Amino acid sequence: APPASQPAAGSRPPSGQGHGRVLWRGGLAKGGVPVCELVALTSSSPMEPSDWPAVLDVALRADRAHALSGFDPSAHAVVTLALPPAADRSDRARFVEFLNSLAARHRAGVCEAGLGARRVVLVPPSASVAARLAAAWEPAECLFAMVQPAAE
């Protein structure tokens, strides 16, 4: 079992919005193929990440500008995802490749499976994305997860 400060895969500890604590730990996959393990470090909402699956599987891609245009800070949460501190080189390499692939194509990854009536839209970081989402771009290698109702 993981230490008390690091929740089990797909779980969320009972406290707050981050502040150095891991809010969720789970996997990232692309079309069912594992990419790496991730942790949620911060959230704009105390309700997220809530009941996230053990793996966020990117099944669809969307135009990044289109995905960001629908962002409403009063209705959507932003969760910062990053590699865990103990990530190995191969996880880091696959994560960076995933980030670079989305960024180069101006795309966002869309996860819906296991999230109930929500979807998670994964957006690679940039100064403009961080400003649009009012999110801190930290650590440098992270993904912003916009949590929104699935019907949008």
CSV table of all heavy atoms in Angstrom, one decimal, residues 12 15-18 23-24 40 42-52 76-79 115 118-120 145-148:
chain,number,residue,atom,x,y,z
A,12,ARG,N,-8.6,9.7,-3.8
A,12,ARG,CA,-8.4,11.1,-3.4
A,12,ARG,C,-8.4,11.1,-1.9
A,12,ARG,O,-9.3,10.6,-1.2
A,12,ARG,CB,-9.6,11.9,-3.9
A,12,ARG,CG,-9.5,13.4,-3.6
A,12,ARG,CD,-10.7,14.1,-4.2
A,12,ARG,NE,-10.5,15.5,-4.3
A,12,ARG,CZ,-10.6,16.3,-3.3
A,12,ARG,NH1,-11.0,16.0,-2.2
A,12,ARG,NH2,-10.4,17.6,-3.6
A,15,SER,N,-8.7,15.7,2.1
A,15,SER,CA,-8.5,17.2,2.3
A,15,SER,C,-8.4,18.0,1.0
A,15,SER,O,-8.2,17.5,0.0
A,15,SER,CB,-7.2,17.3,3.1
A,15,SER,OG,-6.1,16.9,2.4
A,16,GLY,N,-8.5,19.3,1.2
A,16,GLY,CA,-8.4,20.5,0.4
A,16,GLY,C,-7.9,20.5,-1.0
A,16,GLY,O,-8.2,19.6,-1.8
A,17,GLN,N,-7.3,21.6,-1.4
A,17,GLN,CA,-7.0,21.9,-2.8
A,17,GLN,C,-5.6,21.8,-3.2
A,17,GLN,O,-5.2,22.4,-4.2
A,17,GLN,CB,-7.5,23.4,-3.0
A,17,GLN,CG,-9.0,23.5,-2.9
A,17,GLN,CD,-9.4,24.9,-3.1
A,17,GLN,OE1,-9.0,25.8,-2.4
A,17,GLN,NE2,-10.2,25.2,-4.1
A,18,GLY,N,-4.8,21.1,-2.4
A,18,GLY,CA,-3.4,20.9,-2.9
A,18,GLY,C,-2.4,21.3,-1.8
A,18,GLY,O,-2.3,20.6,-0.8
A,23,LEU,N,-3.5,15.0,-4.5
A,23,LEU,CA,-4.9,14.9,-4.5
A,23,LEU,C,-5.5,13.7,-5.2
A,23,LEU,O,-6.6,13.3,-4.9
A,23,LEU,CB,-5.6,16.2,-5.1
A,23,LEU,CG,-5.2,17.5,-4.5
A,23,LEU,CD1,-5.7,18.7,-5.4
A,23,LEU,CD2,-5.6,17.6,-3.1
A,24,TRP,N,-4.7,13.2,-6.1
A,24,TRP,CA,-5.1,12.0,-6.8
A,24,TRP,C,-3.8,11.4,-7.4
A,24,TRP,O,-2.9,12.1,-7.7
A,24,TRP,CB,-6.1,12.3,-8.0
A,24,TRP,CG,-6.4,11.3,-8.9
A,24,TRP,CD1,-7.4,10.3,-8.8
A,24,TRP,CD2,-5.8,11.0,-10.2
A,24,TRP,NE1,-7.4,9.5,-9.9
A,24,TRP,CE2,-6.5,9.9,-10.8
A,24,TRP,CE3,-4.8,11.6,-10.9
A,24,TRP,CZ2,-6.1,9.4,-12.0
A,24,TRP,CZ3,-4.4,11.1,-12.1
A,24,TRP,CH2,-5.1,10.0,-12.7
A,40,ALA,N,-2.2,14.4,-9.2
A,40,ALA,CA,-2.9,15.7,-9.2
A,40,ALA,C,-2.3,16.5,-8.0
A,40,ALA,O,-2.4,16.1,-6.9
A,40,ALA,CB,-4.4,15.6,-9.0
A,42,THR,N,-2.7,20.3,-7.7
A,42,THR,CA,-3.6,21.4,-7.3
A,42,THR,C,-4.9,21.3,-8.0
A,42,THR,O,-5.0,20.7,-9.0
A,42,THR,CB,-2.9,22.8,-7.6
A,42,THR,OG1,-2.8,22.9,-9.0
A,42,THR,CG2,-1.6,23.0,-6.9
A,43,SER,N,-5.9,22.0,-7.4
A,43,SER,CA,-7.2,22.0,-8.0
A,43,SER,C,-7.9,23.4,-7.7
A,43,SER,O,-7.7,23.9,-6.6
A,43,SER,CB,-8.1,20.9,-7.4
A,43,SER,OG,-9.4,21.0,-7.9
A,44,SER,N,-8.6,23.9,-8.6
A,44,SER,CA,-9.3,25.2,-8.4
A,44,SER,C,-10.6,24.9,-7.7
A,44,SER,O,-11.3,25.9,-7.3
A,44,SER,CB,-9.6,25.9,-9.7
A,44,SER,OG,-10.5,25.1,-10.5
A,45,SER,N,-10.9,23.7,-7.4
A,45,SER,CA,-12.2,23.3,-6.7
A,45,SER,C,-11.9,22.2,-5.7
A,45,SER,O,-11.3,21.3,-6.0
A,45,SER,CB,-13.2,22.8,-7.8
A,45,SER,OG,-14.3,22.2,-7.1
A,46,PRO,N,-12.5,22.4,-4.5
A,46,PRO,CA,-12.4,21.4,-3.5
A,46,PRO,C,-13.1,20.1,-3.9
A,46,PRO,O,-12.9,19.0,-3.3
A,46,PRO,CB,-12.9,22.0,-2.2
A,46,PRO,CG,-13.9,23.0,-2.7
A,46,PRO,CD,-13.3,23.5,-4.0
A,47,MET,N,-13.9,20.1,-4.9
A,47,MET,CA,-14.7,19.0,-5.4
A,47,MET,C,-13.9,18.1,-6.4
A,47,MET,O,-14.4,17.0,-6.7
A,47,MET,CB,-16.0,19.4,-6.0
A,47,MET,CG,-16.9,20.3,-5.1
A,47,MET,SD,-17.3,19.4,-3.5
A,47,MET,CE,-18.3,18.1,-4.1
A,48,GLU,N,-12.8,18.6,-6.9
A,48,GLU,CA,-12.1,17.8,-7.9
A,48,GLU,C,-10.6,17.6,-7.4
A,48,GLU,O,-10.1,18.5,-6.8
A,48,GLU,CB,-12.1,18.5,-9.2
A,48,GLU,CG,-13.4,18.6,-9.9
A,48,GLU,CD,-14.0,17.2,-10.3
A,48,GLU,OE1,-13.3,16.2,-10.3
A,48,GLU,OE2,-15.2,17.2,-10.5
A,49,PRO,N,-10.0,16.6,-7.7
A,49,PRO,CA,-10.5,15.4,-8.5
A,49,PRO,C,-11.3,14.5,-7.5
A,49,PRO,O,-10.9,14.2,-6.5
A,49,PRO,CB,-9.3,14.7,-9.0
A,49,PRO,CG,-8.2,15.1,-8.0
A,49,PRO,CD,-8.6,16.4,-7.5
A,50,SER,N,-12.6,14.2,-7.9
A,50,SER,CA,-13.4,13.4,-7.1
A,50,SER,C,-13.9,12.2,-7.9
A,50,SER,O,-14.4,12.3,-9.0
A,50,SER,CB,-14.7,14.2,-6.7
A,50,SER,OG,-15.6,13.4,-6.1
A,51,ASP,N,-13.6,11.0,-7.3
A,51,ASP,CA,-14.0,9.7,-7.9
A,51,ASP,C,-13.4,9.6,-9.3
A,51,ASP,O,-14.1,9.0,-10.2
A,51,ASP,CB,-15.5,9.6,-7.9
A,51,ASP,CG,-16.1,9.6,-6.5
A,51,ASP,OD1,-15.5,9.1,-5.6
A,51,ASP,OD2,-17.2,10.2,-6.4
A,52,TRP,N,-12.2,10.1,-9.5
A,52,TRP,CA,-11.6,9.8,-10.8
A,52,TRP,C,-11.2,8.4,-10.9
A,52,TRP,O,-10.9,7.7,-9.9
A,52,TRP,CB,-10.4,10.7,-11.0
A,52,TRP,CG,-10.6,12.1,-11.3
A,52,TRP,CD1,-11.8,12.8,-11.2
A,52,TRP,CD2,-9.7,13.1,-11.8
A,52,TRP,NE1,-11.6,14.1,-11.7
A,52,TRP,CE2,-10.3,14.3,-12.0
A,52,TRP,CE3,-8.3,13.0,-12.1
A,52,TRP,CZ2,-9.7,15.4,-12.5
A,52,TRP,CZ3,-7.7,14.1,-12.6
A,52,TRP,CH2,-8.4,15.3,-12.8
A,76,HIS,N,-16.3,25.2,-14.2
A,76,HIS,CA,-15.3,24.2,-14.5
A,76,HIS,C,-14.2,24.3,-13.5
A,76,HIS,O,-13.8,25.4,-13.1
A,76,HIS,CB,-14.7,24.3,-15.9
A,76,HIS,CG,-15.8,24.3,-17.0
A,76,HIS,ND1,-15.6,25.0,-18.2
A,76,HIS,CD2,-17.0,23.7,-17.1
A,76,HIS,CE1,-16.7,24.8,-18.9
A,76,HIS,NE2,-17.5,24.0,-18.3
A,77,ALA,N,-13.6,23.1,-13.2
A,77,ALA,CA,-12.4,23.1,-12.3
A,77,ALA,C,-11.2,22.9,-13.2
A,77,ALA,O,-11.3,22.3,-14.2
A,77,ALA,CB,-12.6,21.9,-11.3
A,78,VAL,N,-10.1,23.3,-12.7
A,78,VAL,CA,-8.8,23.1,-13.3
A,78,VAL,C,-7.9,22.4,-12.3
A,78,VAL,O,-7.7,22.8,-11.2
A,78,VAL,CB,-8.1,24.4,-13.7
A,78,VAL,CG1,-6.7,24.1,-14.3
A,78,VAL,CG2,-8.9,25.2,-14.7
A,79,VAL,N,-7.4,21.2,-12.7
A,79,VAL,CA,-6.5,20.4,-11.9
A,79,VAL,C,-5.2,20.3,-12.6
A,79,VAL,O,-5.1,20.1,-13.8
A,79,VAL,CB,-7.1,19.0,-11.7
A,79,VAL,CG1,-6.2,18.1,-10.9
A,79,VAL,CG2,-8.5,19.1,-11.0
A,115,LEU,N,-15.7,8.7,-15.6
A,115,LEU,CA,-15.9,10.0,-15.0
A,115,LEU,C,-17.3,10.4,-14.7
A,115,LEU,O,-17.6,11.5,-14.3
A,115,LEU,CB,-15.2,11.0,-15.8
A,115,LEU,CG,-13.6,10.9,-15.8
A,115,LEU,CD1,-13.0,11.6,-17.0
A,115,LEU,CD2,-13.1,11.5,-14.5
A,118,ARG,N,-19.0,13.7,-16.2
A,118,ARG,CA,-18.0,14.8,-16.4
A,118,ARG,C,-17.1,14.2,-17.5
A,118,ARG,O,-17.0,13.1,-17.8
A,118,ARG,CB,-17.2,15.0,-15.2
A,118,ARG,CG,-17.9,15.5,-14.0
A,118,ARG,CD,-17.1,15.4,-12.8
A,118,ARG,NE,-16.9,14.0,-12.5
A,118,ARG,CZ,-16.1,13.5,-11.5
A,118,ARG,NH1,-15.5,14.3,-10.8
A,118,ARG,NH2,-16.0,12.2,-11.3
A,119,ARG,N,-16.3,15.2,-18.0
A,119,ARG,CA,-15.2,14.8,-18.9
A,119,ARG,C,-14.0,15.6,-18.4
A,119,ARG,O,-14.1,16.7,-17.8
A,119,ARG,CB,-15.5,15.0,-20.3
A,119,ARG,CG,-15.5,16.4,-20.8
A,119,ARG,CD,-15.6,16.5,-22.3
A,119,ARG,NE,-16.1,17.8,-22.6
A,119,ARG,CZ,-17.0,18.0,-23.6
A,119,ARG,NH1,-17.5,17.0,-24.3
A,119,ARG,NH2,-17.4,19.2,-23.8
A,120,VAL,N,-12.8,15.1,-18.7
A,120,VAL,CA,-11.6,15.8,-18.4
A,120,VAL,C,-10.9,16.1,-19.7
A,120,VAL,O,-10.7,15.2,-20.5
A,120,VAL,CB,-10.7,15.0,-17.4
A,120,VAL,CG1,-9.3,15.6,-17.3
A,120,VAL,CG2,-11.3,14.8,-16.1
A,145,ALA,N,-5.8,19.9,-16.4
A,145,ALA,CA,-7.0,19.1,-16.6
A,145,ALA,C,-8.2,20.0,-16.4
A,145,ALA,O,-8.4,20.4,-15.2
A,145,ALA,CB,-7.0,17.9,-15.7
A,146,MET,N,-9.0,20.3,-17.4
A,146,MET,CA,-10.2,21.0,-17.2
A,146,MET,C,-11.3,20.0,-17.0
A,146,MET,O,-11.5,19.1,-17.9
A,146,MET,CB,-10.5,21.9,-18.5
A,146,MET,CG,-9.5,22.9,-18.8
A,146,MET,SD,-10.0,24.0,-20.2
A,146,MET,CE,-10.3,22.9,-21.5
A,147,VAL,N,-12.0,20.1,-15.9
A,147,VAL,CA,-13.1,19.2,-15.6
A,147,VAL,C,-14.4,19.9,-15.9
A,147,VAL,O,-14.7,21.0,-15.3
A,147,VAL,CB,-13.0,18.8,-14.1
A,147,VAL,CG1,-14.1,17.8,-13.8
A,147,VAL,CG2,-11.6,18.3,-13.7
A,148,GLN,N,-15.2,19.3,-16.7
A,148,GLN,CA,-16.4,20.0,-17.1
A,148,GLN,C,-17.5,18.9,-17.3
A,148,GLN,O,-17.3,17.7,-17.5
A,148,GLN,CB,-16.2,20.8,-18.4
A,148,GLN,CG,-15.5,20.0,-19.5
A,148,GLN,CD,-15.0,20.8,-20.7
A,148,GLN,OE1,-15.2,20.4,-21.8
A,148,GLN,NE2,-14.5,22.0,-20.5
